[in-house]
Amino acid sequence: VSPHPRVDNQGPVVEVSGFRIGGDHLALMAGPCSVESEEQIFEMAARLATAGASFLRGGAYKPRTSPYAFQGHGSEALTWMRRAADAHGLRVVTEALSESDAGNVAWHADLVQIGSRNMQNYALLKAVGRTGKPVLLKRAMSATIEEWLLAGEYLLVHGASGVVFCERGIRGFDTETRNLLDLGAVALLSHVHHVPVIVDPSHATGRRDLIAPLARAALAAGAAGLMIETHDDPGKALSDGPQALRSEELAHLVGTFRGMRA
Amino acid sequence: VSPHPRVDNQGPVVEVSGFRIGGDHLALMAGPCSVESEEQIFEMAARLATAGASFLRGGAYKPRTSPYAFQGHGSEALTWMRRAADAHGLRVVTEALSESDAGNVAWHADLVQIGSRNMQNYALLKAVGRTGKPVLLKRAMSATIEEWLLAGEYLLVHGASGVVFCERGIRGFDTETRNLLDLGAVALLSHVHHVPVIVDPSHATGRRDLIAPLARAALAAGAAGLMIETHDDPGKALSDGPQALRSEELAHLVGTFRGMRA
Amino acid sequence: VSPHPRVDNQGPVVEVSGFRIGGDHLALMAGPCSVESEEQIFEMAARLATAGASFLRGGAYKPRTSPYAFQGHGSEALTWMRRAADAHGLRVVTEALSESDAGNVAWHADLVQIGSRNMQNYALLKAVGRTGKPVLLKRAMSATIEEWLLAGEYLLVHGASGVVFCERGIRGFDTETRNLLDLGAVALLSHVHHVPVIVDPSHATGRRDLIAPLARAALAAGAAGLMIETHDDPGKALSDGPQALRSEELAHLVGTFRGMRA
Amino acid sequence: VSPHPRVDNQGPVVEVSGFRIGGDHLALMAGPCSVESEEQIFEMAARLATAGASFLRGGAYKPRTSPYAFQGHGSEALTWMRRAADAHGLRVVTEALSESDAGNVAWHADLVQIGSRNMQNYALLKAVGRTGKPVLLKRAMSATIEEWLLAGEYLLVHGASGVVFCERGIRGFDTETRNLLDLGAVALLSHVHHVPVIVDPSHATGRRDLIAPLARAALAAGAAGLMIETHDDPGKALSDGPQALRSEELAHLVGTFRGMRA
């Protein structure tokens, strides 16, 4: 018996509000690290739809390492994202950070994200699973493949309609990049376990100049899609500016993807 | 300004129900990985008190990597621990795993544990902080010192009466031990940041034959105490048997500690 | 002043016996882990030339972790490789393991390899540098980018005509793959430092089923070429059989590379 | 059959010019990172003998990461060390960096050191082994215990009279210390494999304020001795000044060791 029977039987495609992640079309998820204002997210959604994105991402609740950093606009930001996405034919992917918020996030989002710091927060996995929504499960900073698959198993056991995995870089020892992108894990999940995987090169590298080559590499390794931070004035971003692309840079990048997926 | 003003100003001693962790007496926390029955925990408490322990540890809710493994006896186990500890003059340290359990755990425990998988679960840090109890904060699998201190800051900002840090081994590459015990981090927190640190050699090594030398090394590095898994029939333990000591082995170990702390 | 002026000024192409590594054509280096017999290497060379390889790789001296494992056919294997390569229009890349062998290896090889365990063996770097040959410098198991570039600097200071870097996986904590392929480092050397990088997915993963997706990902990340272990009877290989491709599998793989390089 | 029969049968004591490393007396090895002048090493030897050292350590050939850094005084420094040690009843431990120097280093030294960057430089292991001298084998930056033991096996197979292992910190992800001291490995080699291990807290931490607690912790974990960098004017050291102790600080530290070894 497999130690992760539900994940292994899930199959290579997870459907999210009509979009088949793992199917023929690349799942492009883009948007700002933090939702900073209603106006910002509406303008962003328009540009991202034009650039080829299918999902609007953005942080409503921001789990910052320091309690003294900006913590997000919370529930209000969820409604802004929902309306902005609906106005431009996008789906919403955003993070649930608390058991008590899980229902509210699930109500507004098409795909509920579990962040890397909560990958083994079992209370949250159960609460999000019980909403019945599909989930984007980010890998913890030093999770083994087995631990990651088992966290997906928790979600499916408790009711999630599907699990999409997201590799966002693991803890490395080199300070030239923020984290260490593990595309071997992407190839393994995609080609051996046959589950859909999204890659987040923005968090993985923390630097704009490496996003394009690593985005292409992720697709070549088997990724079903990409999550890319965008901001139209990266110098003024409230968080993670140095790794954000402008939406026109994103559009240009998407134009280089042809033929990358196997 | 320090990025972690409350932790840096807390001082080297945290008082927990009359016991001064970081003071003259070594804080010995012992007990089973999981509380398996009321009878077990009463017998264990008696033996541990004799062996020199001041704290009874035990898992009521067990956050297992697999959803198919034993998950603990929950709230009932908390009442068993409380009564067993009171009967033998011990304090209770046990883990809170969910925002909704935080109040109940804080009601039964003297010291509330945050496990390594929840070190950056900010919703839980806030909920536990708000109980006003002292907290034992285990280091995440690959947390930097800075991230660990900032997680302590969250607890203190939200009301915790004190934070005791607990090093339990970080992710390593060698398969001969379960994790990699980082005594450099213990020396740094103890001798440079001057905060109390407990070391858990049981989880760090995962093997009984290394617990004694590493327990002594932890004290020499500056640890204010130890957390050691004990079980009186390790072969029948529902979890983590291979790393558990019998209570008579613990008593013998304690006898070798004289002179270890600087 | 750059701490690695010669590497930073070397430029994106290194010429090796008329082949421009980093130029328009992908540098495909293939062959067995160990050269096992003259007959084997002649047959292999014929097949690899047909499959699209430009370089014949193979171990003459084998630096095995255990002194009790097969250590290679040594100097004799060098002459077999040279004749086999010449018969089929290939170039030879093989490892120098000792200062005293450096001259002999340089005499037979077009490109002299420094293995990962010798990346900071400065006596060897100097001896190989003094031969004036171009060098393939494998990254050490946990070398930082800076240490790797500085090892290249040693080679160039002492006379090497060029340095090609080779990423072969770094030490990771997950046991499902042998090592952890760091394509972020490949993107950084290729797109920021503008030096040619070869990727060795065979050693990086240690498993045949991940070589194809990671080979394509390496090219997408900016690799100038690939080093792939091949063996025509992997089950009988004297070393590293589980990660070797047959030459017909290699030919098929090469057919999937079109459009991968940016 | 053990994969490392000679190491496992060596026993817990290695004799070096009459000193029994692993026996009753702590093996204290001290001296400067680089031997800077004849006068310096004579003065240092006098002070270290008074402070309780039994071995004078010092770099004659310095394997610096950058080819542009100070490379050591070479063969001349070996003769200075030998005379300084003899004048004060000390033994010499110093590193061999090249096959061609191995004989000369073995002639001057009582204990020949293999540095961490050469732990798997098999040509050097063989050359040093053939001198028949006892060897101090430093662990590579990310070597597994098995790889380390097997490197020791190479030395013994080729003739070394004994192998003493030296833990000097492995590659970690936290930038607050230079490396990550692995005392679990020390406990494992000492208490399970029963071979003598020396700990080098100077290289492990890279900072003076952590040397004392980690030196004591090393002894408590089972170390047979310590290697500590000393310099009488750390601010003017040609290399590694920030981690060096003055000889009077060393003497004070030694006074705190009583009772640490099990």
Side-chain angles (χ1 to χ4, degrees), chain A residues 64 68 147 153-154 171, chain B residues 64 68 147 153-154 171:
Chain A
R64 308 301 295 284
Y68 306 112
E147 290 167 339
E153 200 70 12
Y154 264 93
R171 183 70 80 193
Chain B
R64 308 301 296 283
Y68 306 113
E147 291 166 340
E153 200 70 12
Y154 264 94
R171 184 70 81 193

Side-chain angles (χ1 to χ4, degrees), chain A:
Chain A
V1 181
S2 159
H4 21 79
R6 285 172 176 80
V7 167
D8 286 349
N9 288 325
Q10 177 186 263
V13 173
V14 168
E15 193 170 317
V16 179
S17 304
F19 190 99
R20 302 178 72 245
I21 298 181
D24 292 342
H25 295 286
L26 171 75
L28 185 62
M29 306 175 178
C33 178
S34 307
V35 177
E36 296 171 9
S37 71
E38 185 167 11
E39 188 185 10
Q40 174 220 33
I41 200 71
F42 265 80
E43 283 187 25
M44 182 70 83
R47 291 180 187 179
L48 296 176
T50 306
S54 295
F55 288 80
L56 178 64
R57 60 145 286 163
Y61 307 95
K62 290 306 304 171
R64 308 301 295 284
T65 301
S66 166
Y68 306 112
F70 172 62
Q71 304 279 319
H73 285 295
S75 188
E76 202 171 12
L78 290 177
T79 61
W80 300 339
M81 285 185 78
R82 181 73 269 165
R83 291 204 301 259
D86 286 345
H88 297 285
L90 298 171
R91 286 150 205 86
V92 169
V93 51
T94 194
E95 183 172 354
L97 278 148
S98 153
E99 301 156 59
S100 56
D101 295 332
N104 194 32
V105 173
W107 176 259
H108 289 90
D110 299 282
L111 180 64
V112 180
Q113 180 177 315
I114 300 283
S116 56
R117 288 175 279 200
N118 283 314
M119 190 198 90
Q120 292 187 308
N121 172 353
Y122 298 113
L124 185 63
L125 295 179
K126 290 176 194 174
V128 168
R130 282 193 294 262
T131 69
K133 283 277 182 169
V135 182
L136 184 76
L137 179 63
K138 288 198 155 188
R139 183 181 184 185
M141 282 303 256
S142 61
T144 63
I145 302 292
E146 186 69 13
E147 290 167 339
W148 196 12
L149 292 170
L150 284 167
E153 200 70 12
Y154 264 93
L155 288 164
L156 293 171
V157 164
H158 289 279
S161 69
V163 177
V164 178
F165 293 83
C166 179
E167 162 67 23
R168 44 79 77 211
I170 56 175
R171 183 70 80 193
F173 55 80
D174 201 292
T175 53
E176 305 217 11
T177 55
R178 180 164 157 176
N179 294 296
L180 176 56
L181 185 61
D182 182 5
L183 292 181
V186 173
L188 191 74
L189 261 65
S190 175
H191 292 284
V192 177
H193 291 278
H194 302 291
V195 289
V197 191
I198 301 294
V199 170
D200 175 348
S202 309
H203 281 91
T205 64
R207 43 190 291 176
R208 211 174 286 134
D209 57 357
L210 299 181
I211 291 175
L214 291 177
R216 288 191 291 266
L219 297 179
L226 296 164
M227 175 171 268
I228 295 181
E229 284 193 1
T230 54
H231 197 286
D232 281 306
D233 193 353
K236 293 194 181 157
L238 294 182
S239 52
D240 281 351
Q243 69 196 36
L245 294 189
R246 293 171 192 276
S247 47
E248 61 268 26
E249 293 169 318
L250 179 68
H252 177 262
L253 174 60
V254 171
T256 70
F257 289 161
R258 192 177 304 273
M260 281 295 149
R261 290 180 72 198

Side-chain angles (χ1 to χ4, degrees), chain D residues 146-208:
Chain D
E146 187 68 14
E147 291 167 339
W148 196 12
L149 292 170
L150 284 168
E153 201 69 14
Y154 264 94
L155 288 164
L156 293 172
V157 164
H158 289 279
S161 69
V163 177
V164 178
F165 293 82
C166 180
E167 162 67 24
R168 44 79 75 210
I170 56 175
R171 183 70 81 192
F173 54 80
D174 201 292
T175 53
E176 305 216 13
T177 53
R178 181 164 158 177
N179 295 296
L180 176 56
L181 184 62
D182 182 5
L183 292 182
V186 173
L188 192 72
L189 261 65
S190 174
H191 293 283
V192 178
H193 290 279
H194 303 291
V195 290
V197 191
I198 300 295
V199 170
D200 176 348
S202 310
H203 281 91
T205 64
R207 44 191 289 177
R208 212 174 285 136

Side-chain angles (χ1 to χ4, degrees), chain C:
Chain C
V1 183
S2 159
H4 21 78
R6 286 175 175 78
V7 167
D8 286 349
N9 288 325
Q10 177 186 263
V13 173
V14 169
E15 193 171 317
V16 180
S17 304
F19 189 98
R20 301 178 72 246
I21 298 180
D24 291 342
H25 295 286
L26 171 75
L28 185 61
M29 306 175 178
C33 177
S34 306
V35 176
E36 296 171 10
S37 72
E38 184 167 13
E39 189 185 9
Q40 174 221 33
I41 201 70
F42 264 80
E43 283 186 26
M44 181 69 82
R47 292 180 187 178
L48 295 176
T50 305
S54 296
F55 289 80
L56 178 64
R57 59 145 286 162
Y61 306 96
K62 290 305 304 171
R64 308 302 295 284
T65 301
S66 166
Y68 306 112
F70 173 62
Q71 305 280 320
H73 287 293
S75 188
E76 203 171 11
L78 290 177
T79 61
W80 300 339
M81 285 186 79
R82 181 72 268 167
R83 290 203 302 256
D86 286 345
H88 297 284
L90 298 172
R91 286 150 204 87
V92 169
V93 52
T94 194
E95 183 173 355
L97 278 147
S98 153
E99 301 156 58
S100 56
D101 295 332
N104 194 31
V105 172
W107 176 259
H108 289 89
D110 298 283
L111 179 64
V112 180
Q113 180 177 316
I114 300 284
S116 56
R117 287 175 280 202
N118 283 315
M119 190 199 89
Q120 291 187 309
N121 171 354
Y122 299 113
L124 185 62
L125 295 179
K126 290 177 195 174
V128 168
R130 282 192 294 261
T131 69
K133 283 277 181 168
V135 181
L136 184 76
L137 179 64
K138 288 198 154 188
R139 184 181 182 184
M141 281 303 256
S142 61
T144 62
I145 302 291
E146 186 68 13
E147 291 167 339
W148 197 11
L149 292 170
L150 284 168
E153 200 70 14
Y154 264 94
L155 288 164
L156 293 172
V157 164
H158 289 278
S161 69
V163 177
V164 178
F165 292 82
C166 179
E167 162 68 24
R168 45 77 77 209
I170 55 175
R171 184 70 81 192
F173 55 80
D174 201 292
T175 53
E176 305 216 12
T177 55
R178 181 166 158 176
N179 295 296
L180 176 56
L181 184 62
D182 182 5
L183 292 181
V186 173
L188 191 73
L189 262 64
S190 174
H191 292 283
V192 178
H193 291 278
H194 303 290
V195 290
V197 190
I198 301 294
V199 170
D200 176 347
S202 309
H203 281 91
T205 64
R207 43 191 291 177
R208 211 174 285 136
D209 57 358
L210 298 181
I211 290 175
L214 291 177
R216 288 191 291 267
L219 298 179
L226 296 164
M227 175 170 268
I228 295 181
E229 284 193 3
T230 55
H231 197 285
D232 281 306
D233 193 353
K236 293 194 181 158
L238 294 183
S239 52
D240 281 350
Q243 70 195 37
L245 294 189
R246 292 172 191 277
S247 48
E248 60 269 25
E249 293 170 317
L250 179 68
H252 178 261
L253 174 60
V254 171
T256 71
F257 289 161
R258 191 177 304 271
M260 281 294 147
R261 290 179 72 198

Side-chain angles (χ1 to χ4, degrees), chain B residues 51 212 216 245-257:
Chain B
R216 286 191 292 266
L245 295 189
R246 292 171 192 276
S247 46
E248 61 268 26
E249 292 170 318
L250 180 68
H252 178 262
L253 174 60
V254 170
T256 70
F257 289 161

